[in-house]
Amino acid sequence: MEFGINKLVGAVLATIFNVSTLKIFGASNNSLSGRLPSSPNIRLSNLEKLHLWDNNFSGTIPSFIFNASKLSTLELQMNSFSGFIPNTVSNLRNLGLNDNYLTSSTPELSFLSSLSNCEYLEYLSFSDNPLDGILPRAIGNLSQSMENIWMSNCNSSGSIPDEISNLTNLIAISLEGNKLNGSIPIALRKLQKLQLLSLKDNQLEGSIPNDLCRLVALFELDLGGNKLVRFIPACFGNLTNLRNLYLGSNKLTSIPSTLWNLKDILRLDLSSNFFTGPLPSEIGNLKVLVQVDLSMNNFFRCC
């Protein structure tokens, strides 16, 4: 049963959720509002997919949703749900909860531990929720099938745990816009399939580890808005799949000549660092650039 993109308004009828044979229900990208029905008598024993993203739902997420034993896809993002993310979740493959007002029942983000019971979980999105917790080591216990983790702008703190490198099938991870501190873990080198890594707008310190050069599948790397120091690793010039590189607003001081070997790079941001010297003529090697920002440094044009 699908009602997506029809500009429906009003509340979801409780009678829909009393259809015990219901397998798929979709009403995304409408103007539905109010609270979801939460009667303890609701039993959705056959529900496999629930798509309600981009509406105006509010209130807590009813427990019956998480008790649907066959539920594999739950998309409730871009609403106004509030309350705790439950600690009793199983069987999910895709979970989208971003852009709500959800939080964790504990500072250790205990819901992540419960999600480790989801053997085939591939996709997680909690971005733009006030989780207000410490990124725990338990994140490394998530499913080995995990491919996408989106936890940006969640007001999360602490360091990035080495255990995240256990998720060797990760393709994308975004932890941007949090309060993460410490250094960039060298253990990230184990994520050989990673195509997107965004750690921007945190409080990360130290130098950029050469170990990131092991991530040869990287398409986008964003480390901007931190407190990273010293030089850009020379081996970045070997990341031939890289198309977007953002290192602005750090405390970097040295650009390796090998960086200009990235002839297929599209977007390059080195702004607001401490680079000095003549504006590198080798930048002309980057024939397909569509966006470059070298502002707020101490470059000068050579004679």
Side-chain angles (χ1 to χ4, degrees):
M1 186 179 295
E2 295 278 356
F3 298 100
I5 318 181
N6 282 302
K7 300 305 176 188
L8 299 174
V9 297
V12 172
L13 296 175
T15 53
I16 293 176
F17 289 103
N18 286 324
V19 180
S20 60
T21 57
L22 191 66
K23 289 187 176 182
I24 299 174
F25 181 61
S28 299
N29 197 10
N30 283 290
S31 298
L32 297 170
S33 61
R35 294 171 175 262
L36 295 181
S38 58
S39 169
N41 297 321
I42 295 177
R43 295 289 184 271
L44 294 175
S45 56
N46 289 296
L47 186 64
E48 297 175 4
K49 297 181 180 181
L50 181 61
H51 306 278
L52 296 177
W53 54 268
D54 197 9
N55 280 286
N56 299 310
F57 292 117
S58 59
T60 58
I61 301 173
S63 59
F64 77 83
I65 291 178
F66 296 99
N67 293 330
S69 59
K70 294 183 180 180
L71 188 66
S72 64
T73 296
L74 177 59
E75 295 185 332
L76 302 179
Q77 59 266 40
M78 301 172 67
N79 281 285
S80 296
F81 290 112
S82 59
F84 297 143
I85 299 173
N87 295 328
T88 55
V89 183
S90 61
N91 299 325
L92 285 175
R93 187 180 294 268
N94 301 289
L95 177 59
L97 297 177
N98 56 279
D99 295 276
N100 281 287
Y101 300 97
L102 300 167
T103 188
S104 173
S105 59
T106 67
E108 295 79 22
L109 306 185
S110 54
F111 62 88
L112 285 175
S113 295
S114 68
L115 288 171
S116 65
N117 297 321
C118 300
E119 184 179 359
Y120 301 107
L121 190 64
E122 296 179 354
Y123 179 91
L124 279 182
S125 181
F126 297 115
S127 296
D128 296 286
N129 280 288
L131 299 184
D132 298 325
I134 299 171
L135 196 63
R137 288 182 294 178
I139 196 171
N141 295 329
L142 294 172
S143 166
Q144 287 297 304
S145 301
M146 183 63 63
E147 295 182 351
N148 292 269
I149 296 178
W150 302 89
M151 293 184 65
S152 58
N153 304 313
C154 291
N155 205 32
S156 297
S157 58
S159 58
I160 301 172
D162 287 344
E163 287 78 6
I164 204 169
S165 65
N166 295 340
L167 308 178
T168 53
N169 285 304
L170 272 178
I171 294 174
I173 180 167
S174 176
L175 300 174
E176 66 182 60
N178 286 293
K179 298 179 180 178
L180 301 176
N181 54 32
S183 59
I184 299 173
I186 62 174
L188 292 178
R189 64 187 177 188
K190 298 178 182 179
L191 304 180
Q192 295 288 298
K193 297 181 181 179
L194 204 62
Q195 297 177 22
L196 182 146
L197 175 60
S198 181
L199 303 176
K200 76 173 184 179
D201 295 335
N202 279 287
Q203 300 169 14
L204 299 172
E205 300 177 319
S207 57
I208 301 173
N210 288 332
D211 301 83
L212 292 186
C213 299
R214 301 278 295 275
L215 305 180
V216 294
L218 271 182
F219 182 91
E220 179 168 324
L221 176 61
D222 195 340
L223 304 178
N226 283 286
K227 301 176 183 179
L228 301 172
V229 298
R230 300 183 68 192
F231 50 81
I232 300 172
C235 55
F236 269 23
N238 298 326
L239 295 174
T240 56
N241 289 308
L242 200 60
R243 297 295 181 270
N244 304 308
L245 177 59
Y246 305 104
L247 300 176
S249 300
N250 279 289
K251 299 179 180 181
L252 301 170
T253 57
S254 178
I255 303 173
S257 60
T258 53
L259 192 68
W260 314 117
N261 295 336
L262 298 175
K263 292 185 169 64
D264 294 320
I265 199 162
L266 298 173
R267 295 171 182 83
L268 177 64
D269 184 359
L270 302 179
S271 64
S272 301
N273 279 285
F274 295 102
F275 301 125
T276 61
L279 194 65
S281 60
E282 294 90 347
I283 198 172
N285 296 336
L286 310 183
K287 302 295 186 182
V288 296
L289 265 180
V290 296
Q291 180 180 326
V292 60
D293 192 348
L294 304 177
S295 63
M296 303 300 291
N297 283 291
N298 291 306
F299 292 121
F300 59 85
R301 180 176 295 179
C302 182
C303 53

